[in-house]
Amino acid sequence: MKLCMIGTGYVGLVSGVCFADLGNEVICVDKNINKIKSLQNSVMPIYEPGLEELVNKNIKNKRLSFSNNLNLSIKKSDIIFICVGTPTKKGGGNADLSQIFSVAKEIRKSINKFKIIITKSTVPVTTGDEIEKIIKQKVSKNNFSIVSNPEFLREGEAIRDFTYPDRIVIGSNDTKSNKVLKNLYSPLISKGANYIHTSRRAAELIKYASNAFLATKITFINEIANLCEKTGVNVDDISIGMGLDKRIGSRFLRAGPAYGGSCFPKDTKAITSTADKFRIDLSVIKSVIKSNENRSNLLLKRVYEILKNKVKNKKISFLGVTFKANTDDMRDSSSLTMIPKLSKKGAIIKYYDPTGYKKEFKKYNKVEFMRSIDKCVEKSDLIIIHTEWNDFKSLNFKRLLKNKKSIIYDMRNLYSPDKMRKLGIKYFSVGRSD
Ligand SMILES: NC(=O)c1ccc[n+]([C@@H]2O[C@H](COP(=O)([O-])OP(=O)(O)OC[C@H]3O[C@@H](n4cnc5c(N)ncnc54)[C@H](O)[C@@H]3O)[C@@H](O)[C@H]2O)c1
């Protein structure tokens, strides 16, 4: 099939290359010319394990191409996937749908034969109806179908998640497009993926409800971790004990910093704003948002306690600054709250992340990127393990610390408090009596 992905970001690029790898002809379009140019030269604009190899393979076999000519790419394709961003609107919680609607207006200029137009972007329930209205203003209803196919891939595991999804959700109000999409996804269905066909609105809502539920699980265990710290209980025991109940499941029950990333923070806000419009109070999700927003301050409070409230001129090293491991995505990472606040209090911050320097910290005084873990932790008063990269899971602290009495605050519980004690290291973690 001939596909066009509009928006070559984490979702558009990964799903585009994976569709190409399944044998389709795919054009990935982006309005960012630099991004397209770099992809044409096989330089990846994002860090995602396995992506570069798959892109190069599919460029070589001529199933994958990149373009910034939206109109021509649409004309050449049968199925159009909208994969542009849907960030939070400034000054509120609603999803900003301006990129979606501007793409819909572009698409309607280029419909030369029947097209299936799919939102892969996460959009509030009823957005498909709006897109349909926009296109219907210029194009006969017989020449297009609007479908919702939310994407569930996780950054860092994106290729695997796309190739072996738990489920594929297709929301369409007509049977024709459902048939075409079932065929498009048939290689994944035959490998065991569940295929669910729902109304378009239901598919839109499934995505938000799923993300809000996962965010709730994380926030839930984070709050339980707070209680564990006060009662001398190890939160990891709680996660295991709860997770073995099949009704609960063990995933997303790891206590740590506030959830971040490009999805949970904005999607929890968007679903509650959408519900408000329909006069429905999603009070559980609202309290999750509040609790999560407070989480970074809570962890910072612990940092201040650890440093006995003497933060000024303290050397603090951050190991990892992205919101999770295996991605370079900084969107809504809790480090974006913690580092500026510590810097404002006069701390001298060094950070190391396997995905390199982060422009987000450029404007802060005394916040410096270090090229190695060794350099980062050298002469440090406090080492904060912020992201659970494999690189940080078996560090030789004896060698790294060179007899300096650094303190470690492990926000991901990567190490055993007992072992650290035996090494003579002052060690703090999350939801455990250290
Ligand atoms: N990142 C994730 O892990 C993830 C997972 C599932 C769903 N989603 C959803 O998918 C959507 C995209 O997310 P992302 O992380 O890939 O975003 P992104 O910001 O990485 O990529 C969006 C791309 O769209 C391009 N774009 C914007 N307007 C355009 C236009 N008019 N024409 C062509 N290109 C245009 C931008 O230049 C950008 O490259 C969002 O709705 C997000 O919520 C993201």
Side-chain angles (χ1 to χ4, degrees):
M1 289 185 210
K2 292 189 171 160
L3 316 183
C4 170
M5 317 303 292
I6 306 179
T8 307
Y10 288 87
V11 165
L13 178 57
V14 171
S15 47
V17 68
C18 289
F19 276 132
D21 207 52
L22 294 175
N24 302 288
E25 244 176 75
V26 181
I27 313 173
C28 288
V29 181
D30 207 285
K31 65 174 184 185
N32 181 335
I33 296 172
N34 291 337
K35 198 177 252 192
I36 292 302
K37 273 192 188 148
S38 79
L39 279 161
Q40 284 166 338
N41 291 316
S42 296
V43 177
M44 298 303 110
I46 55 169
Y47 174 85
E48 183 62 45
L51 184 65
E52 192 172 340
E53 295 84 335
L54 210 60
V55 167
N56 288 338
K57 174 183 162 199
N58 284 283
I59 292 177
K60 214 167 165 191
N61 65 26
K62 297 199 173 0
R63 288 203 292 253
L64 180 67
S65 60
F66 299 98
S67 166
N68 41 43
N69 189 333
L70 182 60
N71 294 350
L72 187 64
S73 306
I74 291 171
K75 282 191 178 131
K76 283 184 185 167
S77 308
D78 306 310
I79 304 178
I80 321 291
F81 282 93
I82 303 176
C83 310
V84 295
T86 50
T88 304
K89 223 181 209 168
K90 285 208 172 81
N94 290 313
D96 176 355
L97 297 176
S98 55
Q99 296 180 41
I100 297 276
F101 295 144
S102 109
V103 163
K105 284 176 192 156
E106 285 298 318
I107 293 174
R108 72 182 180 189
K109 288 187 204 156
S110 315
I111 295 186
N112 51 349
K113 58 178 179 171
F114 182 80
K115 309 274 177 197
I116 298 179
I117 300 155
I118 302 169
T119 42
K120 222 178 211 329
S121 297
T122 304
V123 292
V125 57
T126 71
T127 302
D129 305 11
E130 298 296 317
I131 298 172
E132 192 170 272
K133 260 192 229 155
I134 291 172
I135 297 184
K136 222 159 68 177
Q137 284 165 2
K138 302 269 181 204
V139 182
S140 152
K141 181 69 201 82
N142 299 327
N143 267 344
F144 73 97
S145 167
I146 306 291
V147 174
S148 166
N149 170 214
E151 183 49 61
F152 298 100
L153 61 77
R154 290 163 300 166
E155 288 172 16
E157 314 264 352
I159 291 169
R160 200 207 144 274
D161 282 353
F162 186 92
T163 318
Y164 300 98
D166 290 338
R167 79 290 208 198
I168 295 154
V169 176
I170 299 295
S172 75
N173 298 341
D174 64 287
T175 45
K176 183 177 170 184
S177 46
N178 177 39
K179 232 169 139 179
V180 175
L181 286 168
K182 198 163 186 180
N183 187 27
L184 174 69
Y185 277 110
S186 59
L188 306 187
I189 299 167
S190 64
K191 277 193 280 184
N194 292 302
Y195 182 92
I196 308 161
H197 179 223
T198 65
S199 71
R200 190 168 62 211
R201 288 185 179 187
E204 290 169 338
L205 195 48
I206 285 170
K207 172 68 189 178
Y208 277 103
S210 303
N211 273 2
F213 191 78
L214 292 172
T216 304
K217 264 187 113 175
I218 297 172
T219 306
F220 182 89
I221 200 67
N222 281 344
E223 288 201 348
I224 296 293
N226 298 341
L227 180 60
C228 288
E229 281 172 17
K230 296 284 178 210
T231 51
V233 172
N234 183 339
V235 72
D236 298 341
D237 290 342
I238 307 299
S239 302
I240 294 166
M242 282 177 69
L244 286 171
D245 184 330
K246 288 197 179 71
R247 294 168 302 176
I248 298 174
S250 59
R251 293 167 75 186
F252 285 77
L253 277 187
R254 287 193 66 117
Y259 63 71
S262 67
C263 293
F264 290 175
K266 81 172 174 65
D267 293 349
T268 43
K269 283 182 204 146
I271 190 175
T272 53
S273 299
T274 304
D276 284 346
K277 269 193 227 153
F278 290 94
R279 293 175 194 217
I280 294 297
D281 184 22
L282 295 181
S283 62
V284 171
I285 307 174
K286 282 180 183 167
S287 63
V288 165
I289 296 169
K290 205 167 149 215
S291 173
N292 192 63
E293 283 175 350
N294 196 31
R295 180 105 189 123
S296 297
N297 288 332
L298 216 73
L299 265 58
L300 272 178
K301 208 172 140 222
R302 187 109 193 267
V303 171
Y304 304 149
E305 280 164 17
I306 292 170
L307 293 174
K308 303 198 168 39
N309 280 321
K310 289 185 184 119
V311 181
K312 197 160 182 203
N313 292 329
K314 283 279 169 3
K315 296 187 182 92
I316 303 181
S317 313
F318 269 73
L319 293 182
V321 286
T322 53
F323 80 99
K324 66 169 182 178
N326 296 323
T327 182
D328 58 351
D329 201 340
M330 285 295 289
R331 288 177 282 188
D332 273 314
S333 173
S334 57
S335 68
L336 295 173
T337 307
M338 291 197 258
I339 290 182
K341 286 197 174 172
L342 288 167
S343 161
K344 217 170 160 191
K345 278 190 172 283
I348 300 160
I349 311 241
K350 291 179 181 174
Y351 70 92
Y352 169 79
D353 192 279
T355 57
Y357 168 81
K358 303 295 168 202
K359 63 180 184 325
E360 286 81 355
F361 300 123
K362 196 178 166 185
K363 60 178 180 233
Y364 298 104
N365 225 352
K366 296 185 181 161
V367 178
E368 195 184 352
F369 169 66
M370 305 309 288
R371 297 201 170 273
S372 71
I373 299 173
D374 288 57
K375 284 267 168 247
C376 183
V377 303
E378 205 174 58
K379 297 185 184 145
S380 184
D381 294 300
L382 174 67
I383 299 166
I384 294 180
I385 304 178
H386 174 270
T387 312
E388 72 284 21
W389 286 93
N390 279 341
D391 312 44
F392 309 142
K393 286 183 180 164
S394 40
L395 295 174
N396 182 342
F397 286 109
K398 274 258 160 225
R399 185 188 64 77
L400 280 174
L401 302 183
K402 296 186 187 113
N403 296 327
K404 166 122 177 94
K405 288 259 170 264
S406 310
I407 306 169
I408 295 174
Y409 184 10
D410 177 2
M411 293 184 178
R412 299 289 180 169
N413 291 0
L414 300 185
Y415 292 90
S416 139
D418 269 354
K419 278 192 190 155
M420 295 306 247
R421 210 170 296 122
K422 276 183 199 143
L423 286 173
I425 293 171
K426 214 165 181 195
Y427 174 83
F428 299 88
S429 55
V430 175
R432 306 193 291 192
S433 45
D434 303 311

